Amino acid sequence: AKGGAVPVLHVDAAAGEKLQVKVFSASGRLAYEGAVSGAPAAGGAYELELRGSFPSGVYYYQAEVQSGGGKLKRAGKFAVVR
């Protein structure tokens, strides 16, 4: 996100019922937790605005999409530069 805009996490998922996301600082502290209920938007993706305070640094995320009886889990990292 540029110019002070709220960062958005984009998660590709062909189908799903709910997206849950946890974001951790480099020290392992939980920095954000959020969820989106319902099916992904047209085009097969969830988008979740990361509201909160994110000082400059490296962050790690865990994203989990629940679909029927199964779960799809992904993890990754991103950086915030101010």
Coordinates of all heavy atoms in Angstrom, one line a residue:
A1 N 0.8 -1.2 0.0 CA 0.0 0.0 0.0 C 0.9 1.2 0.0 O 1.9 1.3 0.6 CB -0.9 0.0 1.2
K2 N 0.5 2.2 -0.7 CA 1.3 3.4 -0.8 C 0.5 4.6 -0.3 O -0.7 4.6 -0.2 CB 1.6 3.7 -2.3 CG 2.5 2.7 -3.0 CD 2.8 3.1 -4.4 CE 3.7 2.1 -5.0 NZ 4.1 2.5 -6.4
G3 N 1.3 5.6 0.1 CA 0.7 6.9 0.6 C -0.2 6.7 1.8 O -1.2 7.4 1.9
G4 N 0.1 5.8 2.7 CA -0.7 5.7 3.9 C -2.0 4.9 3.7 O -2.8 4.8 4.6
A5 N -2.2 4.3 2.6 CA -3.3 3.4 2.3 C -3.3 2.2 3.2 O -2.2 1.7 3.6 CB -3.4 3.0 0.9
V6 N -4.4 1.6 3.5 CA -4.5 0.4 4.3 C -3.9 -0.8 3.4 O -4.4 -1.0 2.3 CB -5.9 0.1 4.8 CG1 -6.0 -1.2 5.5 CG2 -6.4 1.2 5.6
P7 N -3.0 -1.6 3.9 CA -2.5 -2.7 3.1 C -3.6 -3.8 3.0 O -4.4 -4.0 3.9 CB -1.3 -3.3 3.9 CG -1.2 -2.5 5.2 CD -2.2 -1.4 5.1
V8 N -3.6 -4.5 1.9 CA -4.6 -5.5 1.6 C -3.9 -6.8 1.3 O -3.0 -6.9 0.5 CB -5.5 -5.2 0.4 CG1 -6.5 -6.3 0.1 CG2 -6.3 -3.9 0.7
L9 N -4.3 -7.9 2.0 CA -3.7 -9.2 1.8 C -4.6 -9.9 0.8 O -5.8 -10.0 1.0 CB -3.7 -10.0 3.1 CG -3.0 -11.4 3.0 CD1 -1.5 -11.3 2.6 CD2 -3.1 -12.1 4.4
H10 N -4.1 -10.4 -0.3 CA -4.8 -11.1 -1.4 C -4.5 -12.6 -1.3 O -3.3 -13.0 -1.4 CB -4.3 -10.5 -2.7 CG -5.0 -11.1 -3.9 ND1 -6.2 -10.5 -4.4 CD2 -4.7 -12.1 -4.7 CE1 -6.5 -11.3 -5.5 NE2 -5.6 -12.2 -5.6
V11 N -5.5 -13.4 -1.1 CA -5.3 -14.8 -1.0 C -6.2 -15.5 -2.1 O -7.4 -15.4 -2.1 CB -5.8 -15.3 0.4 CG1 -5.6 -16.9 0.5 CG2 -5.0 -14.6 1.5
D12 N -5.5 -16.2 -3.0 CA -6.2 -16.9 -4.1 C -6.8 -18.2 -3.5 O -6.1 -19.0 -2.8 CB -5.2 -17.3 -5.2 CG -4.8 -16.1 -6.0 OD1 -5.6 -15.2 -6.2 OD2 -3.6 -16.1 -6.5
A13 N -8.1 -18.4 -3.8 CA -8.8 -19.6 -3.4 C -9.9 -19.9 -4.3 O -10.8 -19.0 -4.5 CB -9.3 -19.5 -1.9
A14 N -9.9 -21.0 -5.0 CA -11.0 -21.3 -6.0 C -12.3 -21.4 -5.3 O -13.3 -21.1 -5.8 CB -10.6 -22.6 -6.7
A15 N -12.3 -21.9 -4.1 CA -13.6 -22.1 -3.3 C -13.2 -22.0 -1.8 O -12.1 -22.2 -1.4 CB -14.2 -23.5 -3.6
G16 N -14.2 -21.7 -1.1 CA -14.0 -21.6 0.4 C -15.2 -21.1 1.1 O -16.1 -20.5 0.4
E17 N -15.3 -21.2 2.4 CA -16.3 -20.7 3.2 C -15.9 -19.6 4.2 O -16.7 -18.8 4.6 CB -17.0 -21.9 4.0 CG -17.6 -22.9 3.1 CD -17.9 -24.2 3.8 OE1 -17.6 -24.3 5.0 OE2 -18.4 -25.1 3.1
K18 N -14.6 -19.6 4.5 CA -14.0 -18.7 5.4 C -12.5 -18.6 5.3 O -11.8 -19.6 5.1 CB -14.4 -19.1 6.9 CG -14.0 -18.2 7.9 CD -14.4 -18.6 9.3 CE -14.1 -17.6 10.4 NZ -14.5 -18.1 11.7
L19 N -12.0 -17.4 5.4 CA -10.6 -17.1 5.4 C -10.2 -16.6 6.8 O -10.8 -15.7 7.3 CB -10.2 -16.1 4.4 CG -8.8 -15.5 4.5 CD1 -7.7 -16.6 4.2 CD2 -8.6 -14.3 3.6
Q20 N -9.2 -17.2 7.4 CA -8.7 -16.7 8.7 C -7.2 -16.4 8.5 O -6.5 -17.2 7.9 CB -8.8 -17.8 9.8 CG -10.2 -18.1 10.2 CD -10.3 -19.1 11.3 OE1 -9.9 -20.2 11.1 NE2 -10.9 -18.7 12.4
V21 N -6.8 -15.2 9.0 CA -5.4 -14.8 8.9 C -4.8 -14.3 10.2 O -5.5 -13.7 11.0 CB -5.3 -13.6 7.9 CG1 -3.9 -13.0 7.8 CG2 -5.8 -14.0 6.5
K22 N -3.6 -14.7 10.5 CA -2.8 -14.2 11.6 C -1.5 -13.7 11.1 O -0.9 -14.3 10.2 CB -2.5 -15.4 12.6 CG -3.8 -15.9 13.3 CD -3.4 -16.9 14.3 CE -4.7 -17.4 15.0 NZ -4.4 -18.5 16.0
V23 N -1.2 -12.5 11.6 CA 0.1 -11.9 11.2 C 0.9 -11.7 12.4 O 0.4 -11.2 13.5 CB -0.2 -10.5 10.5 CG1 1.1 -9.8 10.2 CG2 -1.0 -10.6 9.3
F24 N 2.2 -12.1 12.3 CA 3.1 -12.0 13.4 C 4.3 -11.1 13.1 O 4.8 -11.1 12.0 CB 3.7 -13.4 13.8 CG 2.6 -14.4 14.1 CD1 2.0 -15.2 13.1 CD2 2.2 -14.6 15.4 CE1 1.0 -16.1 13.5 CE2 1.2 -15.5 15.8 CZ 0.6 -16.2 14.8
S25 N 4.8 -10.4 14.1 CA 6.1 -9.7 13.9 C 7.2 -10.6 13.9 O 7.1 -11.8 14.1 CB 6.2 -8.7 15.1 OG 6.5 -9.4 16.3
A26 N 8.4 -10.1 13.5 CA 9.6 -10.9 13.4 C 10.0 -11.6 14.8 O 10.6 -12.6 14.8 CB 10.8 -10.1 12.9
S27 N 9.5 -10.9 15.9 CA 9.8 -11.5 17.2 C 8.8 -12.6 17.6 O 8.9 -13.1 18.7 CB 9.8 -10.4 18.3 OG 8.5 -9.8 18.4
G28 N 7.7 -12.8 16.8 CA 6.7 -13.8 17.1 C 5.5 -13.3 17.8 O 4.6 -14.0 18.1
R29 N 5.4 -11.9 18.0 CA 4.2 -11.3 18.6 C 3.1 -11.3 17.6 O 3.3 -10.9 16.5 CB 4.6 -9.9 19.1 CG 3.4 -9.2 19.8 CD 3.8 -7.8 20.1 NE 4.2 -7.0 19.0 CZ 3.4 -6.4 18.1 NH1 2.1 -6.5 18.3 NH2 3.8 -5.7 17.1
L30 N 1.9 -11.6 18.1 CA 0.7 -11.5 17.2 C 0.4 -10.1 16.9 O 0.1 -9.3 17.9 CB -0.5 -12.2 17.8 CG -1.8 -12.2 17.0 CD1 -1.6 -13.0 15.8 CD2 -2.9 -12.8 17.9
A31 N 0.5 -9.6 15.7 CA 0.3 -8.2 15.3 C -1.1 -8.0 14.8 O -1.6 -6.8 14.8 CB 1.4 -7.8 14.3
Y32 N -1.7 -9.0 14.2 CA -3.0 -8.8 13.6 C -3.7 -10.2 13.5 O -3.1 -11.2 13.2 CB -2.9 -8.2 12.2 CG -4.3 -8.0 11.5 CD1 -5.0 -6.9 11.8 CD2 -4.7 -9.0 10.7 CE1 -6.3 -6.8 11.2 CE2 -5.9 -8.8 10.0 CZ -6.7 -7.7 10.3 OH -7.9 -7.6 9.7
E33 N -5.0 -10.2 13.7 CA -5.8 -11.4 13.4 C -7.1 -11.0 12.8 O -7.8 -10.0 13.3 CB -6.1 -12.1 14.8 CG -6.7 -13.5 14.6 CD -6.7 -14.3 15.9 OE1 -6.4 -13.7 17.0 OE2 -7.1 -15.5 15.8
G34 N -7.5 -11.6 11.7 CA -8.8 -11.2 11.1 C -9.4 -12.4 10.3 O -8.7 -13.4 10.1
A35 N -10.6 -12.3 9.9 CA -11.3 -13.3 9.2 C -12.3 -12.7 8.2 O -12.8 -11.6 8.4 CB -12.0 -14.2 10.1
V36 N -12.6 -13.4 7.1 CA -13.6 -13.1 6.2 C -14.5 -14.3 6.0 O -14.0 -15.4 5.7 CB -13.0 -12.7 4.8 CG1 -14.1 -12.4 3.8 CG2 -12.1 -11.5 4.9
S37 N -15.8 -14.1 6.2 CA -16.7 -15.3 6.0 C -17.4 -15.2 4.6 O -17.5 -14.1 4.0 CB -17.8 -15.2 7.0 OG -17.3 -15.4 8.3
G38 N -17.7 -16.3 4.1 CA -18.4 -16.4 2.8 C -17.4 -16.9 1.7 O -16.3 -17.1 1.9
A39 N -18.0 -17.0 0.5 CA -17.2 -17.5 -0.6 C -16.2 -16.4 -1.1 O -16.5 -15.2 -0.9 CB -18.1 -17.9 -1.8
P40 N -15.1 -16.7 -1.8 CA -14.2 -15.7 -2.3 C -14.9 -14.9 -3.4 O -15.9 -15.3 -4.0 CB -13.1 -16.5 -2.9 CG -13.5 -18.0 -2.9 CD -14.7 -18.1 -2.0
A41 N -14.4 -13.7 -3.6 CA -15.0 -12.8 -4.6 C -14.8 -13.4 -6.0 O -14.1 -14.4 -6.2 CB -14.2 -11.5 -4.6
A42 N -15.5 -12.8 -7.0 CA -15.4 -13.2 -8.4 C -13.9 -13.2 -8.7 O -13.2 -12.3 -8.4 CB -16.2 -12.3 -9.3
G43 N -13.5 -14.2 -9.4 CA -12.1 -14.3 -9.8 C -11.3 -15.3 -8.8 O -10.2 -15.6 -9.0
G44 N -12.0 -15.7 -7.8 CA -11.5 -16.8 -6.9 C -10.4 -16.3 -5.9 O -9.4 -16.9 -5.7
A45 N -10.7 -15.1 -5.2 CA -9.7 -14.6 -4.3 C -10.4 -13.9 -3.1 O -11.4 -13.3 -3.3 CB -8.7 -13.7 -4.9
Y46 N -9.8 -14.0 -2.0 CA -10.2 -13.2 -0.8 C -9.3 -12.0 -0.7 O -8.1 -12.1 -1.0 CB -10.1 -14.0 0.5 CG -11.1 -15.1 0.7 CD1 -10.7 -16.5 0.5 CD2 -12.3 -14.9 1.2 CE1 -11.7 -17.5 0.7 CE2 -13.2 -15.9 1.5 CZ -12.9 -17.2 1.2 OH -13.8 -18.2 1.5
E47 N -9.9 -10.9 -0.2 CA -9.0 -9.8 0.1 C -9.4 -9.3 1.5 O -10.6 -9.1 1.8 CB -9.3 -8.7 -1.0 CG -8.7 -9.0 -2.3 CD -8.6 -7.9 -3.3 OE1 -9.2 -6.9 -3.1 OE2 -7.8 -8.0 -4.2
L48 N -8.4 -9.1 2.3 CA -8.6 -8.7 3.7 C -7.7 -7.5 4.0 O -6.5 -7.5 3.8 CB -8.2 -9.9 4.6 CG -8.3 -9.6 6.1 CD1 -9.7 -9.4 6.5 CD2 -7.7 -10.8 6.8
E49 N -8.4 -6.4 4.4 CA -7.6 -5.2 4.8 C -7.0 -5.4 6.1 O -7.6 -5.9 7.1 CB -8.6 -4.0 4.8 CG -9.1 -3.5 3.5 CD -9.9 -2.3 3.6 OE1 -10.4 -1.9 4.8 OE2 -10.1 -1.6 2.6
L50 N -5.7 -5.1 6.2 CA -4.9 -5.3 7.4 C -5.0 -4.0 8.2 O -4.1 -3.2 8.1 CB -3.5 -5.7 7.1 CG -3.3 -7.0 6.3 CD1 -1.9 -7.3 6.0 CD2 -3.9 -8.2 7.1
R51 N -6.0 -3.9 9.0 CA -6.2 -2.7 9.8 C -5.4 -2.8 11.1 O -5.3 -3.9 11.7 CB -7.7 -2.5 10.2 CG -8.6 -2.4 9.0 CD -9.3 -1.1 9.0 NE -10.0 -0.9 7.8 CZ -9.9 0.2 7.1 NH1 -9.2 1.2 7.5 NH2 -10.6 0.3 6.0
G52 N -4.8 -1.8 11.5 CA -3.9 -1.8 12.7 C -2.6 -1.1 12.5 O -2.4 -0.5 11.4
S53 N -1.8 -1.1 13.4 CA -0.5 -0.4 13.4 C 0.6 -1.4 12.9 O 0.8 -2.4 13.6 CB -0.2 0.2 14.7 OG 1.1 0.8 14.7
F54 N 1.2 -1.1 11.8 CA 2.3 -1.9 11.3 C 3.6 -1.1 11.1 O 3.8 -0.5 10.1 CB 2.0 -2.6 10.0 CG 1.0 -3.7 10.1 CD1 -0.4 -3.5 10.0 CD2 1.4 -5.0 10.4 CE1 -1.3 -4.5 10.1 CE2 0.5 -6.0 10.5 CZ -0.9 -5.8 10.4
P55 N 4.4 -1.0 12.2 CA 5.7 -0.2 12.0 C 6.6 -0.9 11.0 O 6.3 -2.1 10.6 CB 6.3 -0.3 13.4 CG 5.3 -0.8 14.3 CD 4.3 -1.5 13.5
S56 N 7.6 -0.2 10.5 CA 8.5 -0.8 9.5 C 9.1 -2.1 10.1 O 9.4 -2.2 11.3 CB 9.7 0.1 9.3 OG 9.2 1.3 8.6
G57 N 9.2 -3.1 9.3 CA 9.7 -4.4 9.7 C 9.3 -5.6 8.8 O 8.5 -5.4 7.9
V58 N 9.7 -6.7 9.2 CA 9.3 -8.0 8.5 C 8.2 -8.6 9.3 O 8.3 -8.7 10.5 CB 10.5 -8.9 8.4 CG1 10.1 -10.2 7.7 CG2 11.6 -8.3 7.5
Y59 N 7.2 -9.1 8.6 CA 6.0 -9.8 9.2 C 5.8 -11.1 8.6 O 6.1 -11.3 7.4 CB 4.8 -8.9 9.1 CG 4.9 -7.7 9.9 CD1 5.5 -6.5 9.3 CD2 4.4 -7.6 11.2 CE1 5.6 -5.4 10.1 CE2 4.5 -6.4 11.9 CZ 5.1 -5.3 11.3 OH 5.2 -4.2 12.1
Y60 N 5.3 -12.1 9.3 CA 5.0 -13.4 8.8 C 3.5 -13.6 9.0 O 2.9 -13.1 9.9 CB 5.7 -14.5 9.6 CG 7.2 -14.3 9.5 CD1 7.9 -13.5 10.4 CD2 7.9 -14.9 8.5 CE1 9.3 -13.3 10.3 CE2 9.3 -14.8 8.4 CZ 10.0 -13.9 9.3 OH 11.3 -13.8 9.1
Y61 N 2.9 -14.3 8.0 CA 1.4 -14.5 8.1 C 1.1 -16.0 7.9 O 1.9 -16.8 7.3 CB 0.7 -13.7 7.0 CG 0.9 -14.2 5.6 CD1 0.2 -15.2 5.0 CD2 1.9 -13.6 4.8 CE1 0.4 -15.6 3.7 CE2 2.2 -14.0 3.6 CZ 1.4 -15.0 3.0 OH 1.7 -15.4 1.7
Q62 N 0.0 -16.4 8.5 CA -0.6 -17.7 8.3 C -2.0 -17.5 7.8 O -2.8 -16.8 8.5 CB -0.6 -18.5 9.6 CG 0.7 -18.8 10.2 CD 0.6 -19.5 11.6 OE1 -0.4 -19.4 12.2 NE2 1.7 -20.1 12.0
A63 N -2.3 -18.0 6.7 CA -3.7 -17.9 6.1 C -4.3 -19.3 6.0 O -3.6 -20.3 5.6 CB -3.6 -17.3 4.7
E64 N -5.5 -19.4 6.4 CA -6.2 -20.7 6.4 C -7.6 -20.5 5.7 O -8.4 -19.7 6.2 CB -6.4 -21.3 7.8 CG -7.1 -22.6 7.9 CD -7.2 -23.1 9.3 OE1 -6.1 -23.4 9.9 OE2 -8.3 -23.1 9.8
V65 N -7.9 -21.3 4.7 CA -9.2 -21.2 4.0 C -9.9 -22.5 4.3 O -9.4 -23.6 4.1 CB -9.1 -21.1 2.5 CG1 -10.4 -21.2 1.8 CG2 -8.4 -19.8 2.1
Q66 N -11.1 -22.4 4.9 CA -11.9 -23.6 5.2 C -12.9 -23.8 4.1 O -13.6 -22.8 3.7 CB -12.7 -23.3 6.5 CG -11.7 -23.2 7.7 CD -12.4 -22.8 9.0 OE1 -13.6 -22.6 9.0 NE2 -11.7 -22.8 10.1
S67 N -13.0 -25.0 3.6 CA -13.9 -25.3 2.5 C -14.5 -26.7 2.7 O -13.7 -27.7 2.8 CB -13.2 -25.3 1.2 OG -14.0 -25.7 0.1
G68 N -15.8 -26.8 3.0 CA -16.4 -28.1 3.3 C -15.7 -28.7 4.6 O -15.7 -28.0 5.6
G69 N -15.2 -29.9 4.5 CA -14.5 -30.4 5.7 C -13.0 -30.3 5.6 O -12.4 -30.7 6.6
G70 N -12.5 -29.6 4.6 CA -11.1 -29.5 4.5 C -10.6 -28.1 4.8 O -11.3 -27.1 4.9
K71 N -9.2 -28.0 4.9 CA -8.6 -26.7 5.2 C -7.4 -26.6 4.2 O -6.6 -27.6 4.0 CB -8.1 -26.6 6.6 CG -9.2 -26.6 7.6 CD -8.7 -26.5 9.0 CE -9.8 -26.5 10.0 NZ -9.3 -26.4 11.4
L72 N -7.2 -25.4 3.7 CA -6.0 -25.1 2.9 C -5.2 -24.1 3.7 O -5.7 -23.0 4.0 CB -6.4 -24.5 1.6 CG -5.3 -24.0 0.7 CD1 -4.3 -25.2 0.3 CD2 -5.8 -23.3 -0.5
K73 N -3.9 -24.4 4.0 CA -3.1 -23.5 4.8 C -1.9 -23.0 4.0 O -1.3 -23.8 3.3 CB -2.6 -24.2 6.1 CG -3.7 -24.6 7.0 CD -3.1 -25.3 8.3 CE -4.2 -25.7 9.2 NZ -3.7 -26.3 10.4
R74 N -1.6 -21.7 4.2 CA -0.4 -21.1 3.5 C 0.2 -20.2 4.5 O -0.4 -19.6 5.4 CB -0.8 -20.3 2.3 CG -1.4 -21.2 1.1 CD -0.2 -22.0 0.5 NE -0.7 -22.7 -0.6 CZ -1.0 -24.0 -0.6 NH1 -0.8 -24.7 0.5 NH2 -1.4 -24.6 -1.7
A75 N 1.5 -20.0 4.4 CA 2.3 -19.1 5.2 C 3.3 -18.4 4.3 O 3.6 -18.8 3.2 CB 3.0 -19.9 6.3
G76 N 3.6 -17.2 4.8 CA 4.6 -16.4 4.0 C 5.0 -15.2 4.8 O 4.8 -15.1 6.0
K77 N 5.7 -14.3 4.1 CA 6.2 -13.1 4.8 C 6.1 -11.9 3.9 O 6.0 -12.0 2.7 CB 7.6 -13.3 5.3 CG 8.7 -13.4 4.2 CD 10.0 -13.7 4.8 CE 11.1 -13.9 3.7 NZ 12.4 -14.1 4.2
F78 N 6.1 -10.7 4.6 CA 6.1 -9.5 3.8 C 6.8 -8.4 4.7 O 7.0 -8.6 5.9 CB 4.7 -9.0 3.5 CG 3.8 -8.7 4.7 CD1 3.7 -7.4 5.2 CD2 3.0 -9.7 5.3 CE1 2.8 -7.2 6.2 CE2 2.2 -9.5 6.3 CZ 2.1 -8.2 6.8
A79 N 7.2 -7.3 4.0 CA 7.9 -6.3 4.7 C 7.1 -5.0 4.6 O 6.4 -4.7 3.6 CB 9.3 -6.1 4.1
V80 N 7.2 -4.2 5.7 CA 6.6 -2.8 5.7 C 7.8 -1.9 5.8 O 8.6 -2.0 6.6 CB 5.7 -2.7 6.9 CG1 5.2 -1.2 7.0 CG2 4.5 -3.6 6.8
V81 N 7.8 -0.9 4.8 CA 8.8 0.1 4.8 C 8.2 1.4 4.8 O 7.3 1.7 3.9 CB 9.7 -0.1 3.5 CG1 10.8 1.0 3.5 CG2 10.3 -1.4 3.4
R82 N 8.5 2.2 5.8 CA 7.8 3.6 5.9 C 8.8 4.6 5.7 O 10.0 4.6 5.9 CB 7.2 3.7 7.3 CG 6.1 2.6 7.5 CD 5.0 3.2 8.3 NE 4.1 2.1 8.6 CZ 2.9 1.9 8.0 NH1 2.6 2.7 7.0 NH2 2.1 0.9 8.3

